Structure formats: C-alpha cells, structure tokens
Amino acid sequence: MIGPAVRERRGIPLRAVVPNAVTALALCSGLSGVRFAIAEDWEKAIAAIMIAAVLDGMDGRIARMLKGQSRFGAELDSLSDVIAFGVSPAIIMHLWALQYWPRFGWLFALAYAVCAALRLARFNANIDVEEQPHKSAGFLTGVPAPAGAGLMLLPLYVWIATNREWDWLHDRYLVAGWAAISAFLMISSLATFSWGSIRLRRNVRFTAIVIIALVAGALVTAPWETLSVAALLYAASIPFSIASYARVKRQRAVAAPRQEPPSV
C-alpha cells in the first residue's frame, strides 16, 4: 500500500526570516529619511540612508551564514534598495535644492530614481546569466545602488560639513547636474571595484584594520567631513577601476587560445 502523499511545504523557512527582517529594517530606515527631509532635519535624513546601507550590507551575509537564501529574499532586497537608495535620496535632494527649479528639478529627481530601479532590474535579470565578464573578473557593472545614493547626497554632506556656509552647493543647477551624473553611473556599463572581491595580503592586514578603526572614529567625531571624503575618493576610484578592468581584459585576450583558421 502506498503511504499518504507528502505535503509540499509552503512559505518561508524560519532561517530566512532574520535576513528578510534586516532587509525590511533597511527599507524602513531609508524611507524614514524622507520623513526627516520633510522636516528639514537633513542630518537625520542622511543618517537614515547610511543606516539603510549598513543593514543592506548585513542582510546578505546573515542569509549566507544561516543558509537562508531565497528568491523571496532576493526580490525583497531589490525592492528595499529601490526605495532606500533610489526613491529616498531623490526626494531628499528634491526637498533640499531641486524643488527651487520648479519646471525641471523634479525631472532630475525622477531620472535618478528611475535609473536606480533600472540598475536593480538589470542586476536581477543577470543573476542566472553565466557569461558575466565583469563579475568573473571581480568587478561590478556600474555603481551599485548604495554607492549611488552616497554619491547623490555628496553636495548635502559638504554643505553640512561647512556649517551650511557654502551656499553655492545649494544651487539647483549644480545639484541637478550631479544627480544626472550619479544616475548615469548607476546604469552605465563601466567596470567598478567590487569591495567583496578584494583580497588583502598578509603583510597589510593589520594596517587595514588600523585604517578601518580610524575611519570608524572619524565617522563618530566628524561624520560629514568623513562622508564627503569617502564619496570623493569613491568617485575618484572609478577611472582606476576602468583601467584595471581594461588590463584584466587584455590579459585574458592574450591568455585565450587562438583559433586556427579553417582549412580550405
């Protein structure tokens, strides 16, 4: 006699709840940045986006540690990133400066948010694609959404760091142009460094730990100056990442076996 059919288990496994909860917290934190921006509390608005970025970096690692990866979690993560690093920074910068360009300011905020969504849609579409030259070489394609949000908010960092004295940073045309650049970098096909692929040599690991500790201390004592320098350094690293990938691409072309011409 055949035993009773085993029921198919439905729903999300318990081990996947924790990383999904962290992702939901990142979404809530990013969206809270809009609430603070409406109240013109710019420091808290930026802090909310930064907390969302930290949580976004944690959820994937927690999922791998607990073996709780799921398609649901991947989709939730993308939706969270669109809101926290696409919609929220766009609205924050619109409320800060772009709203003073009534006819066109909102278009630049929309363009940034749409490009963030397009980047994440492209990322999801390429998850199962085997041929990914950038990824196989340890690079990313374009600027990731959290880094894009960090770049987008750069004028606001510097403005706060200067005790709100550099009013030229508040110029709507400058902010609109910077928003366009940030949007382009996210949807571009430029090779950018993937920090998760970096492997440190043994003789520099202690130095790296000291540098990380100093940066953490700087974030506590001088957060706006530190964020400004970090965003500028990341932007300055993009040409080097492009050159580095071009060198890897040349090395691959040399190492690839040459195909013999077909015989007549």
Side-chain angles (χ1 to χ4, degrees):
M1 186 176 75
I2 300 176
V6 179
R7 292 183 179 180
E8 181 183 357
R9 293 185 178 181
R10 298 180 181 272
I12 305 173
L14 182 61
R15 62 178 178 274
V17 171
V18 175
N20 290 337
V22 174
T23 303
L25 287 174
L27 187 157
C28 294
S29 181
L31 196 55
S32 296
V34 176
R35 181 259 184 192
F36 291 122
I38 293 172
E40 297 187 356
D41 194 341
W42 308 113
E43 290 86 349
K44 289 183 180 179
I46 295 174
I49 302 297
M50 294 301 108
I51 291 172
V54 173
L55 293 172
D56 180 69
M58 292 172 54
D59 57 2
R61 289 171 173 80
I62 293 175
R64 288 188 291 272
M65 182 178 65
L66 298 178
K67 297 182 179 180
Q69 301 100 318
S70 65
R71 188 69 184 181
F72 175 87
E75 296 297 334
L76 179 62
D77 185 68
S78 293
L79 290 172
S80 173
D81 287 356
V82 169
I83 294 174
F85 309 123
V87 176
S88 293
I91 295 177
I92 290 171
M93 296 305 282
H94 178 262
L95 293 173
W96 181 59
L98 293 175
Q99 65 171 324
Y100 302 110
W101 193 6
R103 295 183 60 188
F104 301 104
W106 180 239
L107 293 178
F108 285 91
L110 281 177
Y112 173 83
V114 169
C115 287
L118 290 175
R119 178 199 160 67
L120 291 162
R122 181 179 66 183
F123 176 81
N124 286 348
N126 290 334
I127 287 179
D128 299 324
V129 176
E130 295 182 1
E131 187 67 23
Q132 296 189 53
H134 287 167
K135 185 177 180 180
S136 62
F139 292 84
L140 299 173
T141 302
V143 170
L151 290 177
M152 175 69 161
L153 296 170
L154 175 59
L156 187 51
Y157 304 152
V158 181
W159 181 68
I160 297 174
T162 59
N163 294 320
R164 311 188 181 194
E165 293 180 357
W166 288 6
D167 290 333
W168 58 272
L169 290 167
H170 201 263
D171 182 75
R172 55 187 182 272
Y173 304 115
L174 173 67
V175 175
W178 186 248
I181 293 172
S182 301
F184 166 76
L185 289 174
M186 284 194 296
I187 62 170
S188 69
S189 297
L190 301 175
T192 58
F193 288 122
S194 174
W195 304 111
S197 300
I198 295 177
R199 297 292 182 268
L200 297 177
R201 298 178 181 176
R202 292 182 179 274
N203 58 341
V204 297
R205 288 180 181 177
F206 287 108
T207 304
I209 293 173
V210 172
I211 292 174
I212 292 172
L214 291 175
V215 171
L219 279 171
V220 174
T221 57
W224 312 117
E225 293 83 353
T226 305
L227 288 173
S228 300
V229 171
L232 288 171
L233 288 176
Y234 180 79
S237 73
I238 294 176
F240 293 97
S241 66
I242 296 172
S244 180
Y245 177 71
R247 184 170 60 253
V248 172
K249 193 175 180 180
R250 288 193 300 269
Q251 292 173 352
R252 286 182 170 182
V254 172
R258 296 182 179 180
Q259 294 182 354
E260 297 292 335
S263 57
V264 180

